[in-house]
Amino acid sequence: MGTRTSPPVAGRSAGTAGRRTLMLTLATLGFVVNFWAWALLSPLGPLFKDSLGLSAFQQALLVAVPVVVGSIGRIPVGALTDRFGGRVMFPLVSAATIVPVLFLGVWGHSSLPALLIGGFFLGIGGTTFAVGVPFVNSWFPPRRRGLAIGVFGAGMGGTAISALTTVALVDAAGITTPFTVTAAVLALYAVAAALLLRDAPDRTVPAGSPARRLAEAARLPVTWHASALYAVAFGGYVAFSVYLPAYLRTAYGLTQSDAANRMAGFVLLAVVMRPLGGWLSDRLGPVRVLTASLGVVTAGAALQSFTPALMPLGTIAFLAMAAALGAGSGAVFALVALLVPPNRVGSVTGVVGAAGGLGGFVPPLVMGALYGAVSSYALGLAALAAVAATALLFTTTTVHRATKER
């Protein structure tokens, strides 16, 4: 049970179309900016490896720490968003992310312990996903939520901004520059969000403590179905977005800038495909989109486990996986919007988002450890193919039955 912030709007199409579009735009910008900050360490991983003498595992740990913190943090942030709304949480999280960004830029880039401490708190930026999904969900009617949440999810392209600008800014003006630039953009967004964001007029404020709401979310089967699928779809995207530069440099001998640019291309394609995945899910159903996406990931990872020539087979494999992971990520939250009561979307999103982020935390560590042990990435990519195939089977059986029973 809960209370409404104001009388309900017929059909839950809260506000005018123009107001909905503005709120979606502001939320997506917030996601972009915070994910930009969240991904700052990934393009610099090879630089820190060389300057600090890091092992392959230490480099993987460095880029993975913000991922795991941002993932676990989505659980409480999602519950708090259900209670306080995106109008409060977006500027609050954005302002909090400024602190670790400045720490890393000014003091924290000279040693591995300092980088890990800064990276830990940098994870705050990754929690904005659990703010945006319930915020956007409350503004749009059910028939349009898949596309709307997919558009918001395209904000994960903030990692592409990081990939394209971080190394270039370091080369042009020093190691501090990308961090101070990002901090300034975060500050501007926090102010704009505080002034312009509004929660949907018919947003339902749930009763009870955050712990109780999380317990209620945990009792919904869709929470765990979506968590498992998002761990593969979004987790795969995150894993590649943080580890692909290191992989390309090691496996194919690319320069740091070339590897970062190729990673940006991977990210941009996944970003474009995420709203398309949500749109297709509105029309065809999320199960069909997930089935196709996971099939492509299985085939692409199996092919890449043989480390084919980068042109054309390796490039085709990675771009196909990027498209599939983006579309699959959009389809997962179309599934959430379809099956979860509106006043529990924040809590469920927190759990599902955490699973997705944790799914991105583990593979870089596994890839780094395996490469350190056997000097090959083949086993790690073969494991991804096996996991994607298992998720495909799960989608066509358990998840398919759950959508039919709705």
Side-chain angles (χ1 to χ4, degrees), residues 17 116 137 151 162 188 236 239 263 285 293 300 316 338 348 373 394:
L116 292 175
N137 187 83
V151 170
S162 181
L188 288 172
M263 186 269 274
S293 298
I316 291 171
L338 180 69
V348 171
F394 178 68

Side-chain angles (χ1 to χ4, degrees), residues 156-385:
M156 66 188 190
T159 56
I161 298 176
S162 181
L164 290 170
T165 63
T166 302
V167 174
L169 287 171
V170 170
D171 290 343
I175 188 67
T176 300
T177 306
F179 296 95
T180 54
V181 169
T182 307
V185 175
L186 280 165
L188 288 172
Y189 176 77
V191 172
L195 294 175
L196 299 175
L197 277 181
R198 297 291 184 271
D199 290 312
D202 63 338
R203 184 178 76 89
T204 300
V205 180
S209 67
R212 177 182 172 185
R213 297 197 300 276
L214 286 171
E216 292 173 346
R219 288 194 288 269
L220 296 172
V222 66
T223 301
W224 305 109
H225 296 168
S227 293
L229 294 172
Y230 205 56
V232 178
F234 185 70
Y237 161 79
V238 171
F240 279 124
S241 69
V242 300
Y243 199 68
L244 196 55
Y247 172 84
L248 291 173
R249 286 197 72 190
T250 304
Y252 292 102
L254 301 186
T255 65
Q256 179 175 312
S257 59
D258 191 11
N261 288 337
R262 289 175 185 269
M263 186 269 274
F266 180 98
V267 168
L268 287 172
L269 180 56
V271 167
V272 169
M273 290 301 296
R274 183 156 183 161
L276 181 60
W279 179 80
L280 288 171
S281 296
D282 285 340
R283 283 149 182 79
L284 304 177
V287 169
R288 290 181 179 176
V289 177
L290 282 164
T291 298
S293 298
L294 292 168
V296 171
V297 174
T298 300
L303 172 62
Q304 193 58 36
S305 68
F306 294 97
T307 318
L310 190 56
M311 292 298 292
L313 286 181
T315 299
I316 291 171
F318 276 118
L319 292 180
M321 285 191 288
L325 292 168
S329 296
V332 170
F333 276 94
L335 183 71
V336 169
L338 180 69
L339 299 179
V340 176
N343 64 340
R344 295 184 185 176
V345 168
S347 298
V348 171
T349 296
V351 176
V352 175
L358 290 173
F361 172 75
V362 175
L365 297 181
V366 172
M367 294 285 278
L370 285 174
Y371 187 82
V374 300
S375 299
S376 173
Y377 290 114
L379 288 176
L381 287 159
L384 172 60

